[in-house]
Amino acid sequence: MRPILKSNKLDDVCYEIRGPALEKSKQMEEEGHKIIKLNIGNLAVFGFDPPDEIVQDMILNMHGAAGYTDSKGMFAPRKAVMHYTQSKHITGVTIEDIYLGNGASELIVMAMNGLLNNGDEVLVPAPDYPLWTAAVSLSGGNPVHYICDEQAGWYPDIDDMRRKITSNTKAIVVINPNNPTGALYPREILLEIIELARQHQLIILADEIYDKVLYDGEQHDSIAALADDVLFITLNGLSKNYRSCGYRAGWMVVSGEKRHARDYIDGLNMLASMRLCANAPGQFAIQTALGGYQSINDLVGPGGRLLRQRDMAHKLLTDIPGVSCVKPKAALYMFPRLDPVMYPIADDQQFAYDLLAEEKVLVVQGTGFNWIAPDHFRLVFLPNSDDLTDACGRIARFLDGYRRRHGRG
């Protein structure tokens, strides 16, 4: 019979966070091995529970969650999101500018589907959260990766961004706080990005899903609060700040220069209607989450579990010979660098496979985040202190063996 092939739209799409290495780890678990999974920021499996108030409100409202809602979402949670944008100093946002989605991920794809024609280009950071690159490709566009500079704290290289703008460029993606690096961008960098968008009439798509997971007293500036003459699409949700990944409750806010974007907004409305609505139980969690006690502050503040584990993971990793890492200011991840002289890695996917096979630790290789060289990997620092110490010890042992096998010991 004629083989049934996947769509060629998937040729340039990858999502290594749940890629082949994860499948290998599942096979190993079926064989009886215990795997330490540091590949995904799934907070619940590491004992980070959502606030009880959110859970109780969802339970109380479940009987009213069986019907379709408005295609953009229920009024009360959208109103809560509107108030949240006001607290972030984003001006001019109305209820009609807010779309609720099955997590921010659905809305990322929707934003790209509504915007791009075949051959349109979008500037995406390298490294990036790979869904952004995939969403551009699936929408017929070409992702063009601008470099974030590790030597400058993983801030975007504005000159590189400028060089890569062409007549086909439609938008700039800004992931702040950043996944996978944990960088938090200062206001001056954001203003430079806005100026590029202004000069070239580009849309800014801002992924701010970690805007409350901040360490050492850092503050987050929403880029959409810094101008009103550029079109901004800001995405956020409950997954990380409120440890509610599985509730799939996210939102998208359209702000700034909307007058010349009416046709695009019509397209977003059409796409929102086509998917009927976001899941209703997740919508019921939003108002309670945004208006309730912000327990994330206890986790990231002095003595908080996330802060302790960030500091522990950073020390354990950077104590390994040839491993360096910019200390994250935000989010849940480390993106350490392996000295290419000490660790001459040609294929970092194979490197991740070998680490999994030898030490039962699952990480994601740096090229899985569209990084340009096979010299980084990402891990989450969510496991408890004992498991984190064990995992980093296994990584250190594996790297020691790697150096010796390659004559770099």
Side-chain angles (χ1 to χ4, degrees), residues 88-147:
K88 300 285 286 187
H89 308 293
I90 303 172
T91 60
V93 175
T94 71
I95 288 287
E96 291 306 310
D97 298 319
I98 296 166
Y99 302 74
L100 304 186
N102 297 300
S105 299
E106 178 192 41
L107 297 167
I108 288 170
V109 175
M110 184 188 297
M112 291 303 182
N113 284 170
L115 178 65
L116 299 179
N117 294 313
N118 290 341
D120 285 343
E121 296 175 355
V122 177
L123 296 186
V124 181
D128 75 333
Y129 178 59
L131 177 62
W132 281 103
T133 294
V136 174
S137 296
L138 282 170
S139 301
N142 295 323
V144 177
H145 292 100
Y146 64 86
I147 296 299

Side-chain angles (χ1 to χ4, degrees), residues 36 305 309 312 316 383-393:
I36 301 177
R305 179 180 164 187
Q309 291 176 194
M312 172 184 290
L316 290 170
N384 63 51
S385 297
D386 289 344
D387 289 342
L388 197 56
T389 301
D390 182 18
C392 290

Side-chain angles (χ1 to χ4, degrees), residues 41-192:
N42 189 12
L43 291 103
V45 301
F46 296 105
F48 291 93
D49 297 324
D52 287 341
E53 191 178 10
I54 295 177
V55 179
Q56 291 304 316
D57 270 20
M58 288 181 65
I59 293 170
L60 288 171
N61 285 289
M62 192 60 70
H63 288 299
Y68 293 133
T69 74
D70 182 274
S71 61
K72 290 185 178 180
M74 299 175 188
F75 178 84
R78 287 163 71 203
K79 188 78 169 180
V81 171
M82 189 181 82
H83 289 157
Y84 185 67
T85 65
Q86 292 170 352
S87 74
K88 300 285 286 187
H89 308 293
I90 303 172
T91 60
V93 175
T94 71
I95 288 287
E96 291 306 310
D97 298 319
I98 296 166
Y99 302 74
L100 304 186
N102 297 300
S105 299
E106 178 192 41
L107 297 167
I108 288 170
V109 175
M110 184 188 297
M112 291 303 182
N113 284 170
L115 178 65
L116 299 179
N117 294 313
N118 290 341
D120 285 343
E121 296 175 355
V122 177
L123 296 186
V124 181
D128 75 333
Y129 178 59
L131 177 62
W132 281 103
T133 294
V136 174
S137 296
L138 282 170
S139 301
N142 295 323
V144 177
H145 292 100
Y146 64 86
I147 296 299
C148 295
D149 185 356
E150 187 170 16
Q151 300 304 311
W154 286 116
Y155 295 161
D157 184 331
I158 302 298
D159 289 335
D160 187 61
M161 190 181 290
R162 183 181 294 110
R163 284 191 296 268
K164 289 173 176 172
I165 294 173
T166 73
S167 59
N168 293 324
T169 307
K170 297 289 288 290
I172 302 172
V173 173
V174 179
I175 305 174
N176 178 45
N178 187 265
N179 173 10
T181 66
L184 180 68
Y185 302 158
R187 180 173 292 212
E188 54 269 24
I189 289 287
L190 300 177
L191 289 170
E192 289 188 79

Side-chain angles (χ1 to χ4, degrees), residues 380-400:
V380 303
F381 50 84
L382 292 174
N384 63 51
S385 297
D386 289 344
D387 289 342
L388 197 56
T389 301
D390 182 18
C392 290
R394 295 184 190 202
I395 292 171
R397 186 167 61 203
F398 175 80
L399 289 174
D400 181 65

Side-chain angles (χ1 to χ4, degrees), residues 226-244:
L226 304 180
D228 59 9
D229 60 338
V230 170
L231 182 67
F232 296 94
I233 308 293
T234 304
L235 299 113
N236 209 324
L238 301 188
S239 292
K240 309 302 181 180
N241 295 332
Y242 300 93
R243 288 85 68 201
S244 302

Side-chain angles (χ1 to χ4, degrees), residues 22 29 39 70 82 86 109 173 188 202 214 251 256 281 303 349:
L22 178 61
E29 285 178 321
N39 62 310
D70 182 274
M82 189 181 82
Q86 292 170 352
V109 175
V173 173
E188 54 269 24
L202 305 177
L214 309 171
W251 57 84
Q349 185 178 68

